[in-house]
Amino acid sequence: MDDTARVLGTVFASMFSVLFVLSRNLTKNKEKGVWLCPKEVNESKRAAEIFTLWYSTLWISAVVIVIALQAFEHWDAWGYMTFCCTCALPLLLYPLIFPLAPDRETPFWQTYIFKANCWQAIFSFIGNYWYTHYFYRVLAANYTFPAHRLNDVPLCLYFMTHVYFMFYHVLSNMALRFVRSKYQPGWSRWVFEVMLVVVMSYVTAFIEAVTICGFPYYKFADRHMALTLGSAFYGIYFLVSFPMFLLVDEEKGIKYSLFQTVFESLGSGMLVLCLLDFVRLALGIPLFVPH
């Protein structure tokens, strides 16, 4: 067993052991836990979550086919741009052109799917525009495929990140909602939720890091560091975004305005940026390369 497998085994065993111990202190409600947003709470949110899950099967299948066939080997910058936009734009545009059933009589800016798309569009833009440079500096990561770039980040990734993040956050919504509906509130549930967010954040980041290994044009100086420390570093995004995104239109009778949605996404983005920089400072890595 190599060092990477040993470290990751220890990390995962520790996290899931702590989560299991904390679960023993939870008190169940009489009602069964629910995964999707109940219709009586917010039918628009439920429909949006179902639509996102359904659409995710399509773009994930497309990515798997492209990786398996190595179709990207024949692409130039416009090829990458076309593929990523083709994956992302239907998630953004379809609900506007063909409103989901509960949203047909609602102004589009008040629908949950539009607010969710705005939240993730802002957060994923900040992630690419700013956070990617922390990967360049801390993990010595580098994109080497041909691409149109914005702030030295491939522009196509701004679109692709959006569909990834929408999928991740619907799954995190489901997990957190299940815990909140199945178990009684209190300190034990709060601590369990915090640990659950930590585990989901690390696992999400790790799975993406492993799957992206099938793409040869995203390189790290140190694979061990990328999979172990890099997963924790990337997981910082979700430590903030998973619980914050859940809040949008989650409570019965309380609807977020588009203004509140936008500014909570911006605030979440700023908090993640601070946390990433605190880690950089702790590691003693300069932000800029000296001239």
Side-chain angles (χ1 to χ4, degrees):
M1 182 183 294
D2 61 20
D3 289 342
T4 302
R6 188 178 299 108
V7 170
L8 289 171
T10 301
V11 170
F12 283 118
S14 299
M15 289 193 303
F16 284 107
S17 294
V18 171
L19 200 60
F20 174 76
V21 170
L22 292 174
S23 71
R24 308 303 294 173
N25 295 318
L26 297 174
T27 303
K28 292 183 179 180
N29 287 318
K30 293 180 180 179
E31 300 82 8
K32 293 182 178 179
V34 295
W35 296 96
L36 293 169
C37 186
K39 285 185 178 181
E40 62 272 16
V41 173
N42 193 322
E43 194 171 3
S44 176
K45 186 168 186 175
R46 180 186 180 88
E49 291 179 339
I50 293 172
F51 170 72
T52 302
L53 292 172
W54 172 81
Y55 180 69
S56 294
T57 63
L58 299 182
W59 71 258
I60 291 172
S61 298
V63 170
V64 170
I65 292 170
V66 164
I67 296 295
L69 298 179
Q70 295 193 329
F72 53 80
E73 295 289 2
H74 308 287
W75 292 351
D76 59 7
W78 283 112
Y80 282 97
M81 194 70 180
T82 300
F83 177 75
C84 293
C85 287
T86 300
C87 288
L89 291 180
L91 185 61
L92 294 161
L93 298 179
Y94 183 90
L96 293 175
I97 301 171
F98 305 102
L100 304 179
D103 300 332
R104 289 170 185 162
E105 304 300 324
T106 307
F108 73 88
W109 62 88
Q110 294 179 8
T111 64
Y112 175 80
I113 188 66
F114 184 78
K115 287 182 281 188
N117 269 318
C118 285
W119 204 107
Q120 293 300 340
I122 292 167
F123 190 69
S124 59
F125 176 85
I126 295 171
N128 281 286
Y129 192 89
W130 290 110
Y131 307 161
T132 303
H133 289 273
Y134 285 86
F135 283 82
Y136 291 169
R137 297 296 298 128
V138 175
L139 298 174
N142 186 30
Y143 293 106
T144 60
F145 60 89
H148 305 291
R149 291 180 176 252
L150 176 62
N151 197 28
D152 198 28
V153 178
L155 188 59
C156 59
L157 297 183
Y158 288 79
F159 292 92
M160 203 66 202
T161 303
H162 183 83
V163 289
Y164 271 87
F165 278 15
M166 281 289 284
F167 177 59
Y168 295 162
H169 286 79
V170 167
L171 294 181
S172 68
N173 277 1
M174 293 169 66
L176 291 172
R177 184 181 297 120
F178 180 81
V179 170
R180 293 185 178 185
S181 59
K182 186 175 180 63
Y183 301 105
Q184 295 180 10
W187 278 103
S188 58
R189 193 186 78 178
W190 183 85
V191 173
F192 180 82
E193 280 187 31
V194 170
M195 189 61 201
L196 179 61
V197 169
V198 171
V199 172
M200 290 193 300
S201 299
Y202 192 89
V203 169
T204 301
F206 172 75
I207 291 174
E208 184 173 324
V210 170
T211 56
I212 206 170
C213 288
F215 182 64
Y217 301 115
Y218 183 44
K219 297 181 178 179
F220 297 98
D222 185 334
R223 184 176 180 274
H224 170 82
M225 187 176 180
L227 292 177
T228 54
L229 177 62
S231 296
F233 196 65
Y234 184 22
I236 291 173
Y237 292 27
F238 307 122
L239 288 177
V240 176
S241 65
F242 281 168
M244 289 300 297
F245 184 71
L246 175 66
L247 297 177
V248 180
D249 291 1
E250 182 67 11
E251 298 297 325
K252 186 175 183 178
I254 301 176
K255 295 289 185 68
Y256 272 41
S257 66
L258 186 57
F259 180 87
Q260 184 178 1
T261 303
V262 166
F263 274 82
E264 285 200 4
S265 180
L266 289 168
S268 298
M270 188 64 214
L271 180 54
V272 172
L273 183 62
C274 290
L275 293 173
L276 291 175
D277 210 51
F278 294 158
V279 172
R280 179 191 64 80
L281 289 172
L283 294 174
I285 298 173
L287 182 58
F288 302 105
V289 178
H291 292 289

